[in-house]
Amino acid sequence: MTNTARTTLHDLADAGVSVWLDDLNRPMISSGELQSYVDRGVLGVTTNPTIFASALAEGDAYSEQVRELAADGADVDDAVFALTTDDVRDACDVLRPVYDRTDGVDGRVSIEVDPGAAKDTERTVQIAQQLWETIDRPNLFIKIPATVEGLPAITQTLASGISVNVTLIFSLDRYRGVMNAYLTGLEQAREQGRDLSAIHSVASFFVSRVDGEIDSRLEEIGTDEALALRGRAGLANARLAYQAFEEVFGTPRWQNLADDGARLQRPLWASTGVKNPDYQDTMYVTGLVAPHTVNTMPGKTLEATVDHAELQGDTVTGTYEEAQQVLDDLERVGVSYAEVVEQLENEGVDKFEKSWSELLGTVQDELDKAEGSK
């Protein structure tokens, strides 16, 4: 039976927060589990190389397709491309009614470019184009990391009419660069005569990883003043990002694009699963409620939100002075914000590259088995 009862996810949507699920695998699609999430109020799906690596390593849901690919002589790169794009295309079809109902704002499914291209602008653009054409669904988002090399790739991809989920954003300076890349992409798209209303984007600002790294540094320092700052940096950083969002999307430059049909690039809160069990498991949900935002949650966080999250309205707007004070206090006790966010970006890219390598290895093993069984 379809569960259409109202949940906390619907309450978040009313507050301006679109809840997306940070997970996807083939059994989830074929069993109707993904549809049940949508019925409960999930409005989108995000994926990444780690999620795909886990999906393909478990069970035999992909075995038949792997055997067919092996019979066709596919190499491992072609096989991974086929397996992942098929899942995302099917998920796009499940989410399509949400996309239609929300005029393209939600109902989105994200797939990431090969993380090995994170430092290669032109290759990123080429892969984005290939993914967009292969999946061939209007509610697709191409995920591009917000590296220095990724920024021009984001602009070029948007300018060609492809919707982009910018990922792995940790620093406020880089986030401003991401918003500039978005506006520049829209301006170039307009020069090419494209329909700006058809180009969408979100900017994925990571939250819990900031606390994870900063908390460990605070514990090394060990003073009462340092320890009192644990668990505060992630929310503060994200709230200041929202302040930057309000500023940039309140400028004449943006208004000029909006007058021609452009859509907001919404902030997306990513990495919202709590890493420290001492913290409230919904803190990165209830603490980041604001209009025009997305919160992408792993299943565990989503279930906790539905079960016991206590919403308190907008918890972001108007908190900027307090948030800035947290970052100032961190610097005063000896934690370098610039050093932390640079480290987190590098680790983020490395983590996804490692997951991608594991994914390739898993699929290669399956291809070898299929070859051996002929």
Side-chain angles (χ1 to χ4, degrees):
M1 180 182 292
T2 300
N3 179 3
T4 56
R6 186 173 180 84
T7 71
T8 308
L9 309 186
H10 297 103
D11 296 334
L12 282 164
D14 289 346
V17 183
S18 294
V19 174
W20 293 1
L21 176 68
D22 190 31
D23 195 11
L24 185 68
N25 57 61
R26 191 160 294 180
M28 185 184 294
I29 300 168
S30 60
S31 69
E33 183 183 0
L34 179 58
Q35 181 62 56
S36 72
Y37 274 116
V38 174
D39 293 339
R40 295 169 68 198
V42 167
L43 298 174
V45 172
T46 50
T47 67
N48 60 49
T50 302
I51 287 171
F52 278 128
S54 297
L56 271 82
E58 297 175 3
D60 58 0
Y62 299 89
S63 299
E64 182 179 350
Q65 187 178 5
V66 170
R67 285 193 293 270
E68 292 172 357
L69 289 164
D72 291 340
D75 65 19
V76 66
D77 291 313
D78 290 338
V80 167
F81 189 86
L83 293 165
T84 56
T85 55
D86 281 359
D87 276 6
V88 169
R89 185 185 302 106
D90 289 343
C92 282
D93 290 343
V94 174
L95 272 293
R96 182 60 187 265
V98 178
Y99 169 84
D100 293 336
R101 186 179 75 240
T102 61
D103 190 29
V105 173
D106 285 309
R108 297 280 173 171
V109 183
S110 298
I111 187 170
E112 189 154 347
V113 298
D114 177 347
K119 306 287 188 182
D120 186 331
T121 300
E122 291 309 314
R123 186 161 167 245
T124 294
V125 172
Q126 291 168 2
I127 296 171
Q129 186 74 42
Q130 185 182 14
L131 287 168
W132 183 259
E133 292 174 355
T134 300
I135 295 172
D136 192 26
R137 295 293 186 270
N139 52 329
L140 177 68
F141 265 143
I142 305 299
K143 289 177 79 171
I144 299 177
T147 58
V148 170
E149 298 84 357
L151 295 179
I154 291 159
T155 293
Q156 290 180 46
T157 301
L158 290 161
S160 68
I162 295 173
S163 295
V164 175
N165 175 345
V166 183
T167 189
L168 287 178
I169 309 171
F170 296 96
S171 82
L172 296 167
D173 283 347
R174 184 59 53 81
Y175 178 44
R176 288 185 178 277
V178 166
M179 290 187 285
N180 180 64
Y182 178 61
L183 297 184
T184 303
L186 290 178
E187 288 161 351
Q188 292 180 8
R190 181 170 58 185
E191 289 171 7
Q192 297 173 30
R194 298 188 186 279
D195 176 8
L196 297 190
S197 68
I199 303 171
H200 290 250
S201 184
V202 291
S204 296
F205 203 88
F206 281 53
V207 187
S208 67
R209 292 191 200 179
V210 173
D211 275 335
E213 178 58 32
I214 287 180
D215 282 3
S216 67
R217 295 181 182 220
L218 291 170
E219 286 161 8
E220 282 184 22
I221 294 167
T223 63
D224 289 345
E225 185 181 16
L227 295 176
L229 290 168
R230 286 179 297 181
R232 301 183 64 193
L235 288 175
N237 197 37
R239 288 166 174 168
L240 291 173
Y242 192 82
Q243 180 185 33
F245 160 76
E246 289 187 311
E247 290 172 0
V248 170
F249 289 96
T251 59
R253 181 187 182 192
W254 163 248
Q255 190 57 53
N256 181 268
L257 288 161
D259 289 343
D260 285 336
R263 311 293 191 113
L264 287 171
Q265 182 189 54
R266 293 183 294 170
L268 179 152
W269 312 127
S271 183
T272 57
V274 172
K275 304 291 192 289
N276 187 332
D278 294 335
Y279 296 158
Q280 173 58 244
D281 54 4
T282 60
M283 66 181 283
Y284 300 125
V285 178
T286 58
L288 291 173
V289 175
H292 308 298
T293 58
V294 179
N295 194 309
T296 184
M297 308 178 191
K300 186 177 179 181
T301 302
L302 191 149
E303 296 301 339
T305 297
V306 171
D307 182 64
H308 55 257
E310 296 182 7
L311 303 184
Q312 302 166 337
D314 185 336
T315 50
V316 176
T317 307
T319 64
Y320 310 137
E321 186 175 340
E322 178 186 350
Q324 185 58 56
Q325 188 62 54
V326 170
L327 297 195
D328 291 345
D329 289 345
L330 287 168
E331 294 286 346
R332 192 173 66 251
V333 300
V335 175
S336 168
Y337 174 83
E339 187 179 294
V340 166
V341 293
E342 180 180 6
Q343 176 181 323
L344 288 172
E345 179 184 306
N346 290 333
E347 287 177 352
V349 173
D350 288 346
K351 179 182 178 183
F352 282 167
E353 284 184 345
K354 181 180 178 184
S355 295
W356 192 260
S357 294
E358 290 172 356
L359 175 59
L360 292 172
T362 298
V363 174
Q364 185 63 64
D365 288 344
E366 293 299 314
L367 288 170
D368 291 344
K369 288 179 190 173
E371 282 290 329
S373 65
K374 284 183 179 179

